[in-house]
Amino acid sequence: MAEEDQRTPPSDYDREAVRAKYLAERDKRLVPGRSATLEIRDDPELRHYLTDPFAPFVDREPVIDDAEVVIVGAGIAGLLVAVGLRQAGIDDIRLIDAAGDVGGTWYWNRYPGIMCDVESYIYMPMLEELDYIPPDRYASGEEIHAHLDAIADRYDLRRGALFHSSVERAEWNADAARWIVTTDRGDRVRSRFYILAVGILNRLKIPDLPGLSAFGGPTFHTARWNYDYTGGGPHDPLTKLADKTVAVIGTGATGIQCVEPLGAAAKHVYVLQRTPSAIGVRDNRPTPEEFAEDLGPGWQADRMDNFQSVMSGAEVETDLIDDAWTHDYATVINPKRAPGQSGADFARSIEDHDYEVMEAHRRRVAEVVEDPATAEALKPFYRYRCKRPCFHDEFLGAFNRANVELVHSPAGIERITEHGFVVDGHEYHVDCIVFASGFEAELTPIHRRAGHEVIGRSGLTLAEKWGDGAASLFGMTSRGFPNLFIMPAPGQQAVVTVNYTHLAVLGAEFVSGTIAALCRAGVRSFDVSEAAEADWIEQILARHVDGTSFLSTCTPSRINNEGDPAAMNPRNGNYGGGFGDFFGYRELLRGWLTDGRFEGFELDSGAAPA
Ligand code: NAP
C-alpha cells in the first residue's frame, strides 16, 4: 500500500493535544548551553579534531607568485567555477584548500555508510560532460568523491593547486589591483580575482561537554573518521571494533548513516539522541538500464530544474525525482491554498498535512523498531519543516540488533568522564566517542566560514563589513572588496536549494562568466556601487517574511537558530524571500551577464600593472 494511503485522516486527531505535545517536546530541549561548542581551530589542545587522517602532510617550499584567479576551496563550488574559468579560456587559476586534495565535503566526510540523500543524477555535477551515469539512484560518498576527482582530472584543476594549505589572510592591494593571499605554508600569491568557495557546512561542531578532556579513549568527528582505530572503510566492514564499545553522539543526517555499519561491527553501540530525526524512505536502487536511453543533450540541467520546480511548489508535468523530498518536503514547504479558503482554514490545512506527514514517519518507526520503548523514543514530535528531514532505510532497523542501544537524552549529555558519558545520572562505559554532532549552521557568516581575514579597500575587513548582516550585490560581491566573488550560499542574500549542486552550478556560471567578461572588456578592477548594494539589500529586506512566530514553536535546530529565531537577521535572507526564488534569481543573473553593461559595478579600466 502506498504510504499516502496509510496516513491518518486529519479528522482523527486532536489538534490541540498535538500542539501541546510538540511544545512540551520543544521545551525539553530548550536548555541553557545546548549549543555550546568548542573553538577547535584556535586551541592547540583541540586542533587534532581537524587533522587530516586521509593524506600525509608533505613539506614543501612556499609558493611566491602570481595567478589570474585564486579560488579558496576545492569542493563542488570551487571545482565548478574553476571549470567555468578554464572553459572561458582563463587558464591561470590556483585552487587552495586545507584538505589534501579536491572534494570539499566529500574529501572530509568518509564516515561509514556515507551517502548523499539527494538523487545522484542531479547531485553529481557535470554528468553529461563526463559521460557518466551513476549506477544507483543515490550515490555513496566514495562515488561522489571519485567523480569530483574525475572532474579535476578532466580539466587539469590540480595544476598549480595548493593542498594542505589554509589561507591566513587575503588583502586587496589597490596600487597593484591584486589580492595578496598568504597561507599557513608561507605562500604568498598575488591574484587579480579572488573567489571564496569555502563551503557551507565546513566548521565542525564539537559540543563543549563538561569533562571531555578527561576521557581516556579516542574521540573524533565524523568528518575526520579514524579508520586506524575502527578498521575498514566507508563501505567496508569496520574490522577493529569487535571488542569495542562505541558512543555516537548525534542522530542527524550523518549520525543516522553511520549507526548501522557500527552496529554490524562493534561489540556495543550507544546512540546518543537528543532530538529524533524524521526519517523518510530512501529507497535506493540500481539505475535502470533504460535510464540512459532517452537522455538528450541538456538532460541533467533539465532534471535539476525539474527538482527545483517541484521543491518550489511549481506545477510540473512529471516529477522526475519522485522521492520523499518531492513528496513530503516539497508539499509541506509549499502549501496550496484552495480557492476561497479563509486564512484560518488554510493554516489548519497546512497543519493537518504536516501532521499526516509526521504521523507517517512515526508509524514507520513503530513498524520497524521492535522494542516499544525504543520506538517511542525514536518518534519525532515537531512540525516537519522544523528540522532538516532525513531519509534512510537501515538506521531504524539497527535498533533491533542486541548490541545497538538508544540513549535518549533530550536535555543533552550531563558530562563526559574518563571512562564514558553520563546521562540521567547513569555512567555508561565506552572505548571511543564519535561526534556526529554536525557543523555550525549554514547561516554562519562568510567571514567565519572562510576562517581567515579578508581585507578590502582601506583596510576594511569582511567581518566588519558584514558585522550587521550580509551586504552584497547578488549575494556574491560586496562593496569595498574589489574583484572578490563569494560563491552563493544560505545566509548571504542569494538563494537556498535542497540540491546544493544546482546552486553551485549557477554560482559558477555567473562568477566565471563575469570574470571572463571583465577580462574581455579590459577591466582592471571592479567594485560594487553603493547604490547597487543598497538596492540589493533593500530587495532582500522588502521580501523578508518574519517567520519568528512559527519558528519559535519549533524544536530547536539549525533552522530556527537553535530555538532563538528572533535573533535571525533579515539581512541574511534570500532573494525573493523564504528559501529564495531560484528561477527569478537565475534569470536576473543571466540577464545581467547577457546585457554586458556590468550594471551596479564601478569599473577601473586603467592599465593593469604587471
Ligand atoms: P546535524 O544535522 O546538525 O546533526 C547533529 C546531531 O548532533 C543532532 O542530532 C544534534 O542533536 C546532535 N548534537 C549536537 N550537539 C549535541 C550535544 N551537545 N549533545 C547531544 N547531541 C548533540 O549534523 P549532521 O548530521 O552532520 O548533518 C549536517 C548537515 O550535513 C545536514 O543537515 C545536511 O545538510 C548535510 N548532510 C547531508 C547528507 C546527505 O545525505 N545529503 C548526509 C549527511 C549530512 P539535536 O538534533 O538535538 O540538535
Side-chain angles (χ1 to χ4, degrees):
M1 198 196 291
E3 207 167 315
E4 209 92 4
D5 304 328
Q6 297 176 14
R7 289 178 182 166
T8 316
S11 54
D12 281 9
Y13 83 106
D14 178 344
R15 201 176 278 117
E16 288 304 327
V18 170
R19 284 182 195 160
K21 167 79 175 160
Y22 286 6
L23 291 180
E25 290 294 325
R26 175 201 65 179
D27 291 347
K28 288 180 194 170
R29 293 165 175 87
L30 272 179
V31 295
R34 68 163 267 126
S35 27
T37 303
L38 295 171
E39 276 293 335
I40 50 182
R41 283 189 187 211
D42 306 326
D43 187 336
E45 303 276 300
L46 300 172
R47 270 199 72 86
H48 64 92
Y49 281 113
L50 296 177
T51 305
D52 182 354
F54 308 120
F57 189 87
V58 180
D59 272 333
R60 62 166 174 80
E61 289 299 313
V63 170
I64 315 282
D65 69 2
D66 291 77
E68 190 71 359
V69 187
V70 163
I71 303 168
V72 191
I76 290 181
L79 293 176
L80 292 183
V81 75
V83 169
L85 288 165
R86 283 270 153 85
Q87 287 173 330
I90 297 168
D91 194 55
D92 184 16
I93 56 182
R94 187 184 284 290
L95 284 156
I96 304 182
D97 202 301
D101 202 346
V102 300
T105 222
W106 301 102
Y107 177 89
W108 293 117
N109 285 278
R110 306 189 191 194
Y111 56 81
I114 182 166
M115 305 274 302
C116 180
D117 60 19
V118 174
E119 196 201 52
S120 59
Y121 320 124
I122 56 170
Y123 183 81
M124 294 173 74
M126 307 193 74
L127 292 180
E128 286 181 75
E129 291 83 345
L130 270 79
D131 197 17
Y132 180 71
I133 300 291
D136 297 300
R137 190 179 186 201
Y138 300 99
S140 70
E142 298 110 296
E143 186 190 347
I144 300 168
H145 191 192
H147 183 68
L148 298 177
D149 267 353
I151 291 174
D153 285 345
R154 170 70 62 91
Y155 294 93
D156 194 17
L157 301 180
R158 290 188 184 83
R159 173 161 44 96
L162 302 176
F163 293 116
H164 279 160
S165 308
S166 298
V167 176
E168 287 188 329
R169 185 183 167 91
E171 182 162 9
W172 175 249
N173 181 312
D175 295 336
R178 290 286 187 277
W179 282 92
I180 313 295
V181 182
T182 51
T183 75
D184 61 354
R185 307 292 295 265
D187 309 310
R188 188 172 190 278
V189 183
R190 290 179 0 139
S191 80
R192 188 165 162 208
F193 295 100
Y194 189 51
I195 303 177
L196 293 173
V198 296
I200 296 174
L201 295 158
N202 68 332
R203 290 191 72 114
L204 316 192
K205 233 168 66 178
I206 301 287
D208 189 0
L209 299 170
L212 179 56
S213 58
F215 182 65
T219 63
F220 55 88
H221 191 277
T222 44
R224 300 288 188 277
W225 193 271
N226 183 347
Y227 283 107
D228 278 349
Y229 180 77
T230 66
H235 286 88
D236 295 327
L238 305 169
T239 49
K240 295 185 182 172
L241 293 181
D243 59 348
K244 300 284 190 286
T245 295
V246 179
V248 183
I249 297 180
T251 54
T254 300
I256 64 156
Q257 291 185 341
C258 67
V259 164
E260 202 282 330
L262 279 170
K267 183 172 86 176
H268 201 84
V269 182
Y270 290 112
V271 180
L272 281 86
Q273 171 186 266
R274 198 164 60 174
T275 315
S277 283
I279 303 171
V281 171
R282 185 179 57 184
D283 191 18
N284 200 7
R285 48 180 184 249
T287 303
E289 266 179 36
E290 61 277 15
F291 179 85
E293 285 167 10
D294 301 329
L295 301 176
W299 72 265
Q300 194 185 24
D302 291 346
R303 197 173 179 96
M304 286 186 191
D305 280 3
N306 178 272
F307 180 71
Q308 182 59 29
S309 297
V310 177
M311 298 314 288
S312 313
E315 295 294 332
V316 293
E317 217 165 274
T318 314
D319 170 3
L320 295 173
I321 314 312
D322 195 22
D323 68 1
W325 278 114
T326 64
H327 294 186
D328 289 341
Y329 201 64
T331 55
V332 168
I333 62 174
N334 301 294
K336 297 265 183 298
R337 191 167 182 165
Q341 196 175 27
S342 72
D345 283 349
F346 183 42
R348 258 193 303 276
S349 70
I350 296 171
E351 192 175 1
D352 291 348
H353 178 56
D354 195 298
Y355 174 76
E356 292 169 28
V357 169
M358 289 306 280
E359 270 296 276
H361 283 80
R362 293 189 280 262
R363 224 173 5 251
R364 184 177 192 222
V365 177
E367 281 162 10
V368 176
V369 179
E370 289 159 9
D371 174 58
T374 304
E376 201 50 34
L378 284 164
K379 289 181 185 170
F381 287 99
Y382 45 80
R383 293 275 288 262
Y384 188 61
R385 62 179 305 172
C386 287
K387 203 166 164 60
R388 192 241 192 227
C390 296
F391 310 92
H392 207 262
D393 294 339
E394 289 84 29
F395 170 74
L396 294 172
F399 291 95
N400 297 333
R401 291 178 181 274
N403 67 328
V404 177
E405 190 175 336
L406 185 71
V407 180
H408 184 48
S409 52
I413 298 154
E414 222 165 286
R415 63 198 152 89
I416 304 290
T417 64
E418 183 187 349
H419 302 293
F421 63 92
V422 178
V423 165
D424 286 338
H426 179 79
E427 182 178 16
Y428 298 77
H429 283 203
V430 298
D431 297 298
C432 161
I433 297 176
V434 177
F435 286 104
S437 43
F439 307 86
E440 291 186 21
E442 290 94 327
L443 294 177
T444 303
I446 180 63
H447 47 87
R448 185 164 167 87
R449 283 188 282 121
H452 63 270
E453 288 270 50
V454 179
I455 304 161
R457 273 197 287 131
S458 320
L460 179 74
T461 67
L462 200 53
E464 288 162 352
K465 173 81 194 284
W466 287 35
D468 295 328
S472 79
L473 175 61
F474 306 144
M476 288 189 266
T477 55
S478 190
R479 178 165 174 77
F481 299 84
N483 289 10
L484 171 77
F485 291 92
I486 305 165
M487 297 306 285
Q492 64 183 54
Q493 305 181 343
V495 296
V496 177
T497 49
V498 164
N499 177 19
Y500 170 68
T501 299
H502 203 192
L503 182 58
V505 167
L506 176 58
E509 175 188 316
F510 177 78
V511 173
S512 61
T514 304
I515 290 178
L518 289 165
C519 290
R520 277 197 303 273
V523 172
R524 182 177 185 241
S525 69
F526 77 88
D527 200 352
V528 174
S529 76
E530 200 171 342
E533 188 169 276
D535 180 58
W536 190 256
I537 295 171
E538 188 46 45
Q539 289 192 56
I540 300 295
L541 293 175
R543 297 296 299 272
H544 172 73
V545 178
D546 185 5
T548 312
S549 119
F550 170 74
L551 289 172
S552 61
T553 66
C554 282
T555 191
S557 84
R558 298 200 317 268
I559 287 177
N560 69 353
N561 193 30
E562 300 297 333
D564 187 12
M568 291 163 90
N569 187 342
R571 267 202 16 198
N572 298 338
N574 300 302
Y575 175 78
F579 289 139
D581 171 7
F582 178 86
F583 293 111
Y585 179 63
R586 185 169 73 183
E587 202 181 312
L588 183 144
L589 295 177
R590 285 183 173 167
W592 185 92
L593 259 181
T594 309
D595 180 53
R597 289 187 299 129
F598 304 112
E599 205 179 328
F601 279 11
E602 292 168 352
L603 304 179
D604 173 357
S605 296

